Amino acid sequence: MKEDGIIYIEKDGIIIRDIQPGDTEAFISLASDGSLTDIFGDCTGCMEWMGSWVNEAACLAKKDNPLNGYLAYSIICKENNQVAGSVGCSYYEDTKETGITYFTGRLYRGKGYASLAAGIYSSYFLEHYKDIPYLIATVRMDNIPSCKVAENAGFLLEETKLYQDIYDKEPYKYNFYIKRRSKI
């Protein structure tokens, strides 16, 4: 969980932890396989800015405010101790909601890492941030694998509508999912 401003969750073959400066090369590698295009747009020059992004992500994680920008954490595959991707959240200025973000590199897709990380992180999020009653997921309707990740992580489809995400050149049909805090 989160101690001294650092997140570390180990469960079912993965570790979710704060992004560290040593993760920069791994994220550059992930970007080179196209894994970050939906999040960052064109990543051809990522070698020039990835270190700054890693440092910014680490600073934002220490501030621990999901209503101010984004929070990003590394997904570590315990089998080989490598960065498999990232999970976290981003505040949507247009909808005034916090949404989950996730991706895994090509080598880790189809193995359940993204679904597992999204499920673990979203449960952690809803327990840790008591003032935020739910987390959304916005997924392009044609991104079937990512839709399955959201559903496997416990998100329920609320609606499908035209939406233009930050790096979209035009509006696309998006599925809007929601995961609420369980009532006890």
Side-chain angles (χ1 to χ4, degrees):
M1 290 305 183
K2 196 148 188 130
E3 290 182 26
D4 299 325
I6 296 172
I7 192 171
Y8 186 93
I9 304 169
E10 188 172 340
K11 187 174 180 179
D12 298 333
I14 66 167
I15 297 168
I16 298 171
R17 64 157 171 74
D18 281 18
I19 288 177
Q20 301 169 354
D23 295 342
T24 301
E25 291 300 318
F27 281 108
I28 290 171
S29 178
L30 292 171
S32 71
D33 77 8
S35 296
L36 301 178
T37 304
D38 285 350
I39 298 170
F40 293 118
D42 180 13
C43 290
T44 53
C46 71
M47 291 179 75
E48 298 163 14
W49 54 261
M50 190 62 74
S52 296
W53 179 80
V54 165
N55 290 335
E56 179 182 68
C59 288
L60 289 171
K62 284 187 175 103
K63 291 179 182 177
D64 196 26
N65 183 355
L67 303 177
N68 184 20
Y70 66 92
L71 299 174
Y73 304 97
S74 293
I75 302 169
I76 308 299
C77 172
K78 282 184 62 178
E79 184 178 312
N80 61 12
N81 202 35
Q82 297 295 309
V83 175
S86 180
V87 66
C89 63
S90 184
Y91 186 72
Y92 290 70
E93 290 290 338
D94 57 348
T95 65
K96 304 295 184 217
E97 297 172 298
T98 304
I100 191 164
T101 58
Y102 50 83
F103 73 87
T104 53
R106 187 169 287 131
L107 294 175
Y108 298 95
R109 290 188 196 137
K111 298 180 180 183
Y113 293 115
S115 293
L116 183 59
I120 292 168
Y121 180 76
S122 59
S123 294
Y124 161 81
F125 179 96
L126 293 168
E127 178 62 29
H128 185 70
Y129 303 107
K130 301 271 190 207
D131 292 343
I132 303 173
Y134 62 88
L135 193 58
I136 65 168
T138 58
V139 184
R140 269 184 52 172
M141 200 172 108
D142 61 353
N143 188 345
I144 304 300
S146 193
C147 290
K148 289 187 185 296
V149 166
E151 292 163 6
N152 290 341
F155 286 79
L156 301 175
L157 182 62
E158 284 281 303
E159 67 178 318
T160 301
K161 65 182 179 180
L162 281 178
Y163 180 70
Q164 189 167 354
D165 205 2
I166 190 166
Y167 292 110
D168 291 342
K169 292 180 175 139
E170 60 188 84
Y172 293 96
K173 281 196 169 186
Y174 271 80
N175 287 334
F176 280 71
Y177 295 90
I178 192 165
K179 185 172 182 179
R180 296 183 188 283
R181 183 173 297 103
S182 298
K183 294 178 182 175
I184 299 174

